[in-house]
């Protein structure tokens, strides 16, 4: 039996969670005020995921970079590959909010989308 301490990120309360694990399975969660804390602890201990936010280089735009994010959480183990794909890309303005700039990033099935509108200069 293992135990792990986590801070729930489900809301600003930031409950301190104590998680008990056996054979990599969550057997008990305490410290959570609501059920979301238990769900977060189970996911974080078995399949941790994150939303990735970053910026992509931009040509012909009124600014040089456009902010982007993953449409959904991706597995933590895919974050490095995702950031590498973002860093090597350069796109051309105009860009609209929600525009898909990378499809299926790092074979996650998740797209990278723009979070800012950028007009072209020409
Ligand atoms: S357990 Fe519930 S109340 Fe506590 S931080 Fe998580 S979401 Fe907020």
């Amino acid at each position: 039996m293992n135990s792990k301490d986590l801070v729930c990120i489900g809301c600003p309360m930031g409950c301190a969670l104590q998680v008990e694990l056996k054979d990599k399975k969550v057997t008990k969660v305490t410290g959570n005020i609501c059920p979301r804390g238990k769900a977060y602890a189970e996911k974080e201990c078995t399949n941790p995921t994150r939303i990735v936010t970053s910026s992509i280089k931009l040509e012909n735009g009124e600014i040089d970079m456009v902010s982007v994010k993953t449409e959904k959480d991706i597995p933590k183990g895919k974050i490095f590959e995702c950031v590498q794909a973002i860093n090597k890309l350069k796109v051309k303005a105009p860009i609209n909010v929600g525009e898909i700039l990378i499809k299926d990033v790092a074979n996650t099935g998740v797209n990278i989308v723009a979070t800012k509108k950028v007009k072209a200069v020409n």
Side-chain angles (χ1 to χ4, degrees):
M1 180 101 71
N2 286 337
S3 66
K4 202 170 182 177
D5 293 330
L6 296 173
V7 175
C8 181
I9 58 171
C11 82
M13 289 284 291
C15 293
L17 309 176
Q18 297 79 45
V19 188
E20 289 181 14
L21 299 132
K22 191 175 183 188
D23 301 325
K24 296 183 179 175
K25 287 188 178 168
V26 174
T27 55
K28 190 177 178 187
V29 179
T30 54
N32 55 309
I33 290 178
C34 77
R36 283 191 295 159
K38 184 172 186 275
Y40 168 75
E42 286 172 348
K43 192 175 172 208
E44 187 63 13
C45 291
T46 55
N47 178 30
T49 59
R50 293 289 183 275
I51 294 273
V52 174
T53 60
S54 187
S55 301
I56 289 179
K57 291 180 216 100
L58 192 59
E59 275 178 19
N60 195 41
E62 54 189 359
I63 52 176
D64 294 335
M65 305 284 281
V66 58
S67 55
V68 297
K69 71 175 193 70
T70 51
E71 276 182 318
K72 295 187 284 185
D73 292 16
I74 64 168
K76 266 177 98 173
K78 288 283 189 172
I79 291 175
F80 184 70
E81 213 179 316
C82 172
V83 171
Q84 278 186 318
I86 288 171
N87 287 345
K88 71 179 179 194
L89 188 67
K90 195 169 200 174
V91 293
K92 224 172 178 180
I95 300 287
N96 287 308
V97 174
E99 188 173 332
I100 295 171
L101 301 180
I102 303 175
K103 278 190 178 172
D104 186 22
V105 67
N107 298 314
T108 56
V110 176
N111 300 322
I112 298 288
V113 295
T115 57
K116 184 177 179 68
K117 178 178 178 151
V118 184
K119 292 180 187 165
V121 287
N122 297 320

